[in-house]
Amino acid sequence: MLRAAIDGTEFQFASEISILAAAKQHGIAIPALCFDPRLDPIGSCRICCVEVEGEPHPQIACRTPIRDGMRVTTHSPALEAFRRELLEWMAARVPPASFASDPDKELHGLMRAYAVEPAGKARAGIDASHPYIRVDMSQCIQCLRCVRICDDLQGEFVWHALSRGDDQTIVPDSGTTLEASSCVGCGACSDTCPTGALVDKQRRKANAATSATRTTCAYCGVGCELEAVVSDGRLVEARPVLDAPVSKGHLCVKGRYAFGYVHASDRQTRPLLRERGKWVPTSWDGALDRCAGALQRIVARYGPDSVGVLGSARATNEENYLAQKFARVVLGTNNVDCCGRVCHTPSAAALKSMLGAGAATNSFDDIERAAAIFVCGANPLENHPVVGARIRQQVLRHGTALVVADPRRTEIARAATLHLALRPGTNIPLLNAMAHVIIAENLADGDFLQRRVADFERFAASVASWSPERAAGICEVPADDIRAAARLYATRRPAMTFHGLGLTEHLQGTEGVMALINLALLTGNLGKPGTGVNPLRGQNNVQGAAHMGCDPSVLTGSVPIQENAARFGAMWGATISRSHGLHLLQMMDAALAGRLKALWVVGYDVLPTLANVQVMRRALEKLEFVIVQDLFMTKTAQAVGGVFLPAASSFEKDGTFMNGERRIQRVRKAIDPPGEARSDWEIIAALAARMGHAEQFRYASAQDIWNEIRNVWPEAAGISYARLEHGGLQWPCPDESHPGTAILHATKFGRRERAALEPIQYVPSPETTSEQFPFVLTTGRTLYQFNVGSMSRRTPNTRLRPTDTLDIAPPDACALGLENGEIARVTSAHGSAQLTVRVSAAMKAGEVFASFQDPRIWLNRLTGPVRDRVVQAPEYKVTAVAIEKAPAGRRKQGTSARPA
Ligand SMILES: Nc1nc2c(c(=O)[nH]1)N[C@H]1C(S)=C(S)[C@@H](COP(=O)(O)OP(=O)(O)OC[C@H]3O[C@@H](n4cnc5c(=O)[nH]c(N)nc54)[C@H](O)[C@@H]3O)O[C@H]1N2
Ligand SMILES: Nc1nc2c(c(=O)[nH]1)N[C@H]1C(S)=C(S)[C@@H](COP(=O)(O)OP(=O)(O)OC[C@H]3O[C@@H](n4cnc5c(=O)[nH]c(N)nc54)[C@H](O)[C@@H]3O)O[C@H]1N2
Ligand SMILES: [Mo]
């Protein structure tokens, strides 16, 4: 404990923090311009100088530690005069127009506080090329915050400080415009910039802010926290939250900038009914009556199992809880699922069966504790950018070993110690061969095997024949690279894995995850900091949607139906069906066979996103009645919707999301829903009431529903809304004094002492290349668009990524006579699509990649009927295709692509 006086008052400090931080702790604000708590202090702006008794010159507060007995003066007349002088010098660079239009900038705020007038001239040379960030370096004060934050937080190294004589200028790595640079639009630079040099264009256009509400991002499963800034009832800015446990003051281009969909002109704001093929607006009473009548008629005629409900990975836990409760209590069926089926149900199934819990074993904070990281089939710098940046920073700055298994040379693969560019669909041989090496070279953790693992002998026998040479012949990865990868993962401890859809969306998706878990078990990389098996979950709340029970085989908390039906029945005041429910793909099969008659789709555009579209469309068309509940008129609604229910977005309601590391975080209402749109929970409760279940669905608020969830799900009993005010909590969290669980399986695997290693036999995909279809197409996503773009395509992100591309290796493009920007026709055994060619060095010959994010292209016309052998997720990642130049005259216009 040290004691020091600031401005005459004595305070105590636990550690040697800076004078600036010490003063801040006690509410004393010292002006600072080059300082950002996310960055190491450089002390170049001098404006934070303070007087320290006994020191002949002022001391730089952001860099000088507070010491025992120190006496600090923060605002003497001399200091204030010095600060005014500095500000006057800076004000010569501030044009009055910028001073007026960007009042939130720190320099402008200080100028107002010190009554310093802007004296700059507006200059030419403003770079407005980027859709979100306006660059005017004539206003720069050389604090280097932009350069440092791009390097330190994002690891993109876009901004460079060039010295020309006395003058320093900051330029993007393109040497020209920001748009042409390697900028990924994370916005950290404009967020940190204290001047008008870098400004957020969307914020600039708005009036003064009227409120800022802390909430959780609505895009991916990372769970970044942001402040939704509102002006005149509209969202105008998303600011990163500095003390957010996951994002730590960072955001990506979607979280930070792509919120404009909320105010899109085609947001649906009224309930609609389909009348003789046409959508007509109706009242909520009219819409709910139509839904209740149709569902009651269908249940009466064909039985409860003729109806299915799909929850939404975009909606809150509370809403998904109600969706499955509706299916089970009101309809009487277990036919309830969500889009988790098509991405990480394989992960959940593998983790649950082998380790006892169907979720990430560790936390994102383990990234900084791991000595090695193995990223298998995931592209985190584009799809989970804040986590991707954290991984890359550890590799670049702290020497963490990184192995990436991905057919493409993605951004993260470029940062890797070792990139295994395997052939799509060959994860099992690769992972089995890594296990083979670990055993053959005695790299396993003997102690862990002895205490916590079962079936070693059987497993060792199963991988004995998987020499790296044998796998190399299938994966097309050099045997020595497989050895090196196994050694890195096994010997650099602790080691953690992250995986994505490149592992799960296959014929052997679940088994692929099991093969990865085998590696963690062999090396003892479970139950400890810096270890574990961690699926990078898709949407904001896909982990939560399934965990709430939007999964036919489990009830809330992911517990099996047979054993728990009685308990839930008693709590819900209903009899819970014990018959097997249908999952999403089975629902489609049942619809095609005429057994499923009605479907309620909440926040999920199934038609363009399911594989094997031709067949799926026929299935959907056979349904008698479809309810779509969404923000927008989705393709599913357009094709087969009978009633459209307009939903509130996450900015317009309260609730919670569960991120990919099991963390429950609050979602808070920042604005009102547009028109008559309502939150999903209100809609579901209203329909339940209309169908005679008012008592079981009587809730006053989202919190009310959450408290019921805590009651039925013991592992969340300790997570109250009141506690969530102080940050998220990770389940299990059984009581209100429990801190939550960052790392699973520390001592046991569920109720089991040991986890068994699982031998996995390799089964090649039936989608094989042939003379007719010589290329392997793998599909996935890109940074700027999110899934089929329902949200991101309604924002300026579409300028950054206008349409899907067909990424192809230079020699293949050359052989086919295809050039960058040309249109190619891609044909599979299942259909064809036209795509803009992007010649890319990230691709290997014989393999092509396309995103599925432009609904006009509808890429899933190409993907086929193969499904995961265990949970039936579609095999989106392997399709044999033929490629040719699109016939002249039939080429699609209006699409363009940035070169790779
Ligand atoms: N920007 C952005 N972010 C997103 C989304 C988005 O659409 N856009 N969507 C969200 C959703 S719903 C999800 S589920 C996640 C998905 O996030 P990811 O799991 O990262 O998704 P993908 O891009 O589909 O696939 C990941 C990688 O798998 C590789 N791959 C293909 N085949 C194989 C293979 O056989 N083996 C291996 N090892 N790798 C292979 C691909 O080249 C690709 O780079 O992202 C979420 N985040
Ligand atoms: N070829 C190919 N196809 C794929 C994949 C692939 O890798 N390759 N990946 C698959 C995967 S992993 C996924 S997750 C799917 C994605 O499938 P999509 O349906 O594209 O998923 P989302 O982007 O989550 O969009 C769901 C819908 O939720 C709506 N929404 C947003 N917030 C709310 C809300 O609060 N309430 C309600 N009611 N609605 C809301 C949005 O408007 C949107 O229409 O695509 C799958 N399809
Ligand atoms: Mo997903």
Side-chain angles (χ1 to χ4, degrees):
M1 209 44 102
L2 49 92
R3 289 166 169 280
I6 304 178
D7 293 341
T9 310
E10 209 163 274
F11 302 108
Q12 289 196 341
F13 301 97
S15 59
E16 268 208 356
I17 49 175
S18 70
I19 297 174
L20 187 77
K24 188 169 179 219
Q25 268 187 11
H26 293 286
I28 301 168
I30 301 174
L33 283 172
C34 68
F35 177 80
D36 181 315
R38 294 166 288 189
L39 303 170
D40 291 335
I42 57 166
S44 71
C45 76
R46 295 291 191 273
I47 210 146
C48 73
C49 278
V50 292
E51 287 164 3
V52 174
E53 209 175 85
E55 295 287 345
H57 306 293
Q59 302 289 299
I60 296 171
C62 69
R63 294 193 58 159
T64 310
I66 193 112
R67 279 192 217 97
D68 202 35
M70 213 179 222
R71 305 193 71 80
V72 178
T73 304
T74 65
H75 286 79
S76 72
L79 287 173
E80 292 293 273
F82 173 60
R83 286 177 186 145
R84 178 164 299 108
E85 212 173 293
L86 283 173
L87 288 169
E88 275 164 1
W89 174 76
M90 293 178 199
R93 297 174 158 251
V94 180
S98 173
F99 184 70
S101 62
D102 306 312
D104 299 345
K105 289 293 189 178
E106 288 158 73
L107 173 61
H108 302 172
L110 282 180
M111 285 167 58
R112 277 196 306 278
Y114 285 81
V116 173
E117 290 298 318
K121 286 196 207 68
R123 277 171 235 203
I126 290 170
D127 171 11
S129 62
H130 195 278
Y132 295 119
I133 301 166
R134 176 182 180 275
V135 185
D136 175 7
M137 283 300 171
S138 71
Q139 298 191 47
C140 172
I141 57 163
Q142 317 296 337
C143 69
L144 301 183
R145 279 165 72 169
C146 56
V147 178
R148 292 184 287 144
I149 208 156
C150 188
D151 297 0
D152 291 7
L153 213 56
Q154 180 58 35
E156 208 63 42
F157 306 97
V158 171
W159 293 111
H160 294 259
L162 289 188
S163 282
R164 292 202 189 98
D166 285 349
D167 241 2
Q168 197 176 44
T169 47
I170 312 285
V171 292
D173 61 6
S174 58
T176 56
T177 63
L178 185 58
E179 197 191 23
S181 76
S182 59
C183 172
V184 291
C186 76
C189 58
S190 75
D191 177 61
T192 193
C193 177
T195 74
L198 295 170
V199 299
D200 174 341
K201 285 183 172 178
Q202 299 187 129
R203 178 74 190 87
R204 192 163 213 259
K205 276 193 265 171
N207 295 330
T210 46
S211 68
T213 306
R214 182 169 174 155
T215 189
T216 305
C217 180
Y219 280 103
C220 82
V222 168
C224 300
E225 284 185 79
L226 50 85
E227 284 206 329
V229 179
V230 174
S231 167
D232 299 333
R234 290 174 73 86
L235 288 175
V236 294
E237 187 184 6
R239 281 194 210 131
V241 170
L242 292 188
D243 63 354
V246 178
S247 41
K248 307 187 194 304
H250 198 20
L251 288 173
C252 80
V253 64
K254 295 178 294 298
R256 176 134 17 200
Y257 293 123
F259 49 77
Y261 65 86
V262 168
H263 304 296
S265 56
D266 63 344
R267 247 315 271 281
Q268 295 300 322
T269 60
R270 297 184 66 184
L272 306 172
L273 298 179
R274 177 98 74 176
E275 302 285 10
R276 277 179 234 95
K278 283 226 172 69
W279 285 112
V280 289
T282 182
S283 62
W284 273 107
D285 280 339
L288 294 172
D289 277 342
R290 175 75 64 93
C291 295
L295 293 177
Q296 273 159 343
R297 174 177 59 77
I298 289 168
V299 168
R301 181 138 174 226
Y302 305 105
D305 291 334
S306 65
V307 183
V309 177
L310 296 176
S312 175
R314 315 313 294 270
T316 62
N317 290 312
E318 291 77 359
E319 293 164 337
N320 282 288
Y321 172 76
L322 287 200
Q324 58 89 40
K325 183 175 174 184
F326 183 97
R328 290 171 167 133
V329 170
V330 179
L331 298 172
T333 180
N334 286 312
N335 292 348
V336 57
D337 207 358
C338 70
C339 75
R341 177 67 41 192
V342 305
C343 44
H344 277 291
T345 304
S347 303
L351 286 161
K352 194 164 188 182
S353 74
M354 286 180 70
L355 305 180
T361 64
N362 284 58
S363 303
F364 296 132
D365 275 348
D366 286 293
I367 294 169
E368 285 80 15
R369 301 184 184 118
I373 299 177
F374 178 21
V375 173
C376 185
N379 181 15
L381 279 168
E382 297 203 64
N383 302 335
H384 303 88
V386 167
V387 161
R390 284 178 63 179
I391 296 174
R392 182 168 59 184
Q393 292 297 37
Q394 284 308 108
V395 178
L396 297 182
R397 292 170 175 264
H398 303 284
T400 302
L402 174 67
V403 177
V404 173
D406 195 304
R408 302 183 299 143
R409 196 162 177 77
T410 54
E411 278 276 300
I412 196 81
R414 287 169 52 187
T417 322
L418 195 60
H419 172 210
L420 310 171
L422 78 176
R423 186 131 173 105
T426 64
N427 293 307
I428 306 283
L430 175 77
L431 298 171
N432 278 351
M434 285 176 69
H436 172 103
V437 174
I438 289 168
I439 295 171
E441 299 189 1
N442 245 324
L443 307 177
D445 180 339
D447 176 56
F448 192 82
L449 287 179
Q450 207 173 28
R451 285 186 300 113
R452 304 206 48 192
V453 179
D455 292 354
F456 176 76
E457 298 303 329
R458 189 169 69 116
F459 177 74
S462 79
V463 294
S465 66
W466 279 108
S467 66
E469 280 70 22
R470 179 181 170 204
I474 302 169
C475 309
E476 298 175 12
V477 173
D480 281 344
D481 284 0
I482 300 178
R483 282 200 181 86
R487 288 175 193 148
L488 274 182
Y489 175 73
T491 60
R492 299 273 192 106
R493 292 187 193 158
M496 74 190 301
T497 71
F498 286 106
H499 70 270
L501 306 181
L503 187 59
T504 61
E505 288 180 344
H506 288 286
L507 174 70
Q508 288 190 285
T510 306
E511 292 159 289
V513 180
M514 294 169 94
L516 188 64
I517 297 171
N518 285 334
L519 298 184
L521 285 171
L522 279 178
T523 54
N525 276 310
L526 282 166
K528 301 169 205 154
T531 69
V533 176
N534 302 285
L536 285 168
R537 297 304 311 258
Q539 296 101 329
N540 49 357
N541 200 36
V542 63
Q543 180 78 50
H547 212 82
M548 289 302 107
C550 287
D551 180 316
S553 57
V554 298
L555 291 161
T556 311
S558 202
V559 294
I561 292 177
Q562 300 300 332
E563 294 89 317
N564 293 279
R567 181 168 69 92
F568 276 77
M571 282 183 294
W572 288 344
T575 309
I576 307 300
S577 164
R578 286 164 201 255
S579 72
H580 274 293
L582 303 176
H583 63 60
L584 166 63
L585 280 298
Q586 290 167 334
M587 288 183 203
M588 292 299 125
D589 297 344
L592 198 61
R595 293 192 312 274
L596 192 82
K597 299 292 182 187
L599 189 62
W600 182 2
V601 190
V602 182
Y604 179 11
D605 201 0
V606 276
L607 180 55
T609 57
L610 281 170
N612 200 21
V613 161
Q614 284 77 353
V615 178
M616 293 300 119
R617 179 195 267 277
R618 264 191 282 130
L620 287 167
E621 281 169 351
K622 284 193 121 185
L623 292 168
E624 284 182 18
F625 182 65
V626 176
I627 309 170
V628 171
Q629 181 166 317
D630 207 289
L631 316 183
F632 300 103
M633 181 59 65
T634 60
K635 275 221 183 270
T636 308
Q638 279 166 18
V640 296
V643 178
F644 186 95
L645 305 177
S649 79
S650 69
F651 291 104
E652 298 152 358
K653 63 190 173 191
D654 284 305
T656 57
F657 291 153
M658 184 191 299
N659 81 347
E661 43 158 30
R662 298 171 280 106
R663 188 185 298 275
I664 312 282
Q665 306 191 103
R666 272 299 310 275
V667 175
R668 297 183 185 85
K669 183 173 170 174
I671 48 175
D672 287 326
E676 294 171 35
R678 291 186 187 175
S679 47
D680 293 294
W681 70 263
E682 290 173 301
I683 301 173
I684 299 167
L687 186 53
R690 187 109 0 184
M691 292 174 72
H693 293 266
E695 267 320 303
Q696 290 140 302
F697 285 79
R698 194 181 300 287
Y699 304 100
S701 62
Q703 183 172 10
D704 238 12
I705 307 171
W706 182 252
N707 286 335
E708 181 174 313
I709 297 171
R710 292 168 65 200
N711 232 352
V712 301
W713 175 29
E715 288 179 318
I719 306 178
S720 64
Y721 267 36
R723 289 187 77 192
L724 291 178
E725 284 307 304
H726 313 290
L729 282 165
Q730 288 167 285
W731 61 263
C733 179
D735 61 69
E736 292 210 26
S737 60
H738 194 285
T741 308
I743 302 175
L744 296 179
H745 318 309
T747 55
K748 278 181 156 193
F749 296 105
R751 280 189 226 110
R752 282 173 284 169
E753 298 289 333
R754 285 161 184 275
L757 289 158
E758 289 289 343
I760 307 292
Q761 301 308 319
Y762 172 52
V763 183
S765 167
E767 273 283 330
T768 47
T769 51
S770 60
E771 227 169 276
Q772 193 186 0
F773 301 116
F775 291 91
V776 186
L777 166 74
T778 192
T779 67
R781 21 187 76 64
T782 56
L783 176 64
Y784 296 110
Q785 296 295 353
F786 199 88
N787 294 340
V788 279
S790 57
M791 291 141 79
S792 57
R793 287 192 66 80
R794 290 178 167 89
T795 72
N797 273 30
T798 296
R799 257 188 60 197
L800 294 163
R801 174 82 181 170
T803 185
D804 293 325
T805 58
L806 180 75
D807 294 2
I808 185 167
D812 287 337
C814 188
L816 291 165
L818 284 170
E819 283 182 32
N820 231 359
E822 276 192 298
I823 309 293
R825 183 157 74 181
V826 185
T827 311
S828 73
H830 322 288
S832 84
Q834 309 224 118
L835 286 146
T836 308
V837 169
R838 192 165 72 157
V839 181
S840 165
M843 300 304 303
K844 293 199 307 282
E847 296 170 12
V848 290
F849 172 86
S851 51
F852 66 102
Q853 311 193 286
D854 185 342
R856 297 167 302 177
I857 301 225
W858 205 326
L859 191 81
N860 279 312
R861 291 189 276 204
L862 296 171
T863 50
V866 178
R867 296 175 186 173
D868 176 66
R869 302 206 308 163
V870 182
V871 301
Q872 272 105 53
E875 185 195 45
Y876 291 112
K877 294 293 185 257
V878 188
T879 308
V881 296
I883 300 168
E884 62 193 325
K885 201 178 272 209
R890 305 209 28 209
R891 292 180 204 171
K892 237 170 97 215
Q893 298 296 309
T895 51
S896 70
R898 301 165 104 199

